[in-house]
Amino acid sequence: MKTTSLFACITALLIILCFRGSNGQLSSTFYATSCPSALSTVKAAVTAAVAKEKRMAASLLRLHFHDCFVNGCDGSILLNDTSTFTGEKTAGPNANSVRGYEVIDTIKSRLEAVCSGVVSCADIVTIAARDSVVLLGGPTWTVPLGRRDSTTASLSTANSNLPSPSSDLSTLISAFQAQGLSTKDMIALSGAHTIGQARCTVFRSRIFNDTNIDSAFATSVKANCPSNGGDANLSPLDLVTPTVFDNNYYKNLRSKKGLLHSDQALFNGGSTDAMVTTYSTNPTTFFSDFATAMVNMGNISPLTGTSGEVRTDCRKTN
């Protein structure tokens, strides 16, 4: 009898431990039973949005990055201000800059219609980022799922954690290390700047003041970004193939044609020059490392199990 009771206790303990362990794990098949159309629903909406405006692919990719670097990949960036907290949308790196909120709203609405209260906003953002990259010719990867949504946001953390376009190499390395990402991850993820555009206000100082910049390139960009005015004017981060996800970003850096100061910092006689050279000459390696780094970034402090919630409206808590 004692042996039977002991066995029962051990079995129960193992079940509890296994259950607790599974709560902290993401899985690519998380919605296979609860919402089998989740991935296809996200893909259809992203495909339509990018077909309407190719720049949206870069915006959705950036939305994921700006979410994950602030208290983890928890959908906090999507929350509007409330009486109890100020959200992240008005933070310096996000205000008048981060886009794609309406696309996420559309996806959430469609998912609520087919499987209400199941797919988190945090997962939607993560899947949309992957689909956006694929649509512009970039690599694909299997997205681990099962994140839950935060019930709060942090303006101060958004202002402090997201790297500035004026960052130097050591600052970039430190910012990514603080999120558990390696220097290799940082260099690969920076390749996201092979698509998208930046506002004049964030690169004006580089084109007028930096010395490690191709003069003809600087002159061409100044036409749309004068020394005074035109703060909101846009310029492609990659002038060559701005709407194709390729390795031209790294080729540009080797030619001193990085648009942002933080871009060119990756190839400026420092420790990351060799990896930039590798990615500039081997797109397959870049694609592989980028996919790995995206999974690593998507794994930053997710809320799982009973933590957080699954919002029915991505802009507000339940």
Side-chain angles (χ1 to χ4, degrees), residues 187-226:
I187 303 168
L189 290 170
S190 296
H193 285 180
T194 189
I195 56 175
Q197 302 183 61
R199 294 171 299 154
C200 169
T201 186
V202 302
F203 62 81
R204 176 184 285 117
S205 178
R206 165 148 172 79
I207 61 174
F208 281 95
N209 301 322
D210 283 5
T211 57
N212 60 343
I213 187 169
D214 178 82
S215 59
F217 168 72
T219 299
S220 68
V221 178
K222 287 175 183 176
N224 197 42
C225 184

Side-chain angles (χ1 to χ4, degrees), residues 79 105 108 112 121 310-318:
L79 289 170
D105 289 340
K108 184 59 177 174
E112 285 299 303
C121 301
V310 175
R311 292 186 218 133
T312 54
D313 181 337
C314 290
R315 293 176 183 259
K316 61 183 181 180
T317 59
N318 294 339

Side-chain angles (χ1 to χ4, degrees), residues 223-241:
N224 197 42
C225 184
S227 56
N228 290 293
D231 285 2
N233 291 353
L234 298 170
S235 181
L237 288 158
D238 169 20
L239 289 176
V240 184
T241 52

Side-chain angles (χ1 to χ4, degrees), residues 46-280:
V46 173
T47 299
V50 173
K52 185 177 179 180
E53 180 197 13
K54 285 194 173 182
R55 182 190 171 202
M56 186 54 68
S59 296
L60 290 171
L61 175 56
R62 185 166 181 255
L63 182 66
H64 180 40
F65 167 59
H66 280 230
D67 181 34
C68 290
F69 264 56
V70 183
N71 298 330
C73 308
D74 60 1
S76 60
I77 193 171
L78 306 173
L79 289 170
N80 290 336
D81 297 350
T82 71
S83 60
T84 57
F85 67 81
T86 302
E88 298 162 19
K89 292 179 178 178
T90 56
N94 298 334
N96 302 312
S97 174
V98 169
R99 308 167 71 244
Y101 298 118
E102 294 79 9
V103 177
I104 302 302
D105 289 340
T106 297
I107 296 170
K108 184 59 177 174
S109 177
R110 292 179 184 178
L111 286 171
E112 285 299 303
V114 295
C115 41
S116 180
V118 176
V119 183
S120 69
C121 301
D123 274 348
I124 291 172
V125 171
T126 309
I127 300 166
R130 188 274 309 273
D131 292 347
S132 294
V133 170
V134 174
L135 284 168
L136 295 193
T140 189
W141 59 91
T142 301
V143 180
L145 300 166
R147 298 167 192 78
R148 287 166 65 84
D149 300 321
S150 67
T151 55
T152 188
S154 177
L155 176 70
S156 61
T157 307
N159 277 320
S160 63
N161 280 18
L162 291 161
S164 163
S166 62
S167 298
D168 58 20
L169 183 59
S170 61
T171 301
L172 291 171
I173 292 174
S174 296
F176 280 75
Q177 283 182 341
Q179 302 298 330
L181 298 173
S182 68
T183 298
K184 182 178 180 180
D185 288 332
M186 182 270 290
I187 303 168
L189 290 170
S190 296
H193 285 180
T194 189
I195 56 175
Q197 302 183 61
R199 294 171 299 154
C200 169
T201 186
V202 302
F203 62 81
R204 176 184 285 117
S205 178
R206 165 148 172 79
I207 61 174
F208 281 95
N209 301 322
D210 283 5
T211 57
N212 60 343
I213 187 169
D214 178 82
S215 59
F217 168 72
T219 299
S220 68
V221 178
K222 287 175 183 176
N224 197 42
C225 184
S227 56
N228 290 293
D231 285 2
N233 291 353
L234 298 170
S235 181
L237 288 158
D238 169 20
L239 289 176
V240 184
T241 52
T243 58
V244 178
F245 196 98
D246 53 25
N247 68 332
N248 270 335
Y249 168 78
Y250 300 102
K251 296 178 181 179
N252 293 338
L253 298 187
R254 294 184 68 190
S255 300
K256 297 184 179 181
K257 296 178 182 178
L259 183 64
L260 307 180
H261 181 89
S262 56
D263 287 330
Q264 199 59 55
L266 301 185
F267 193 84
N268 193 37
S271 60
T272 54
D273 283 16
M275 187 60 71
V276 168
T277 299
T278 296
Y279 290 159
S280 73

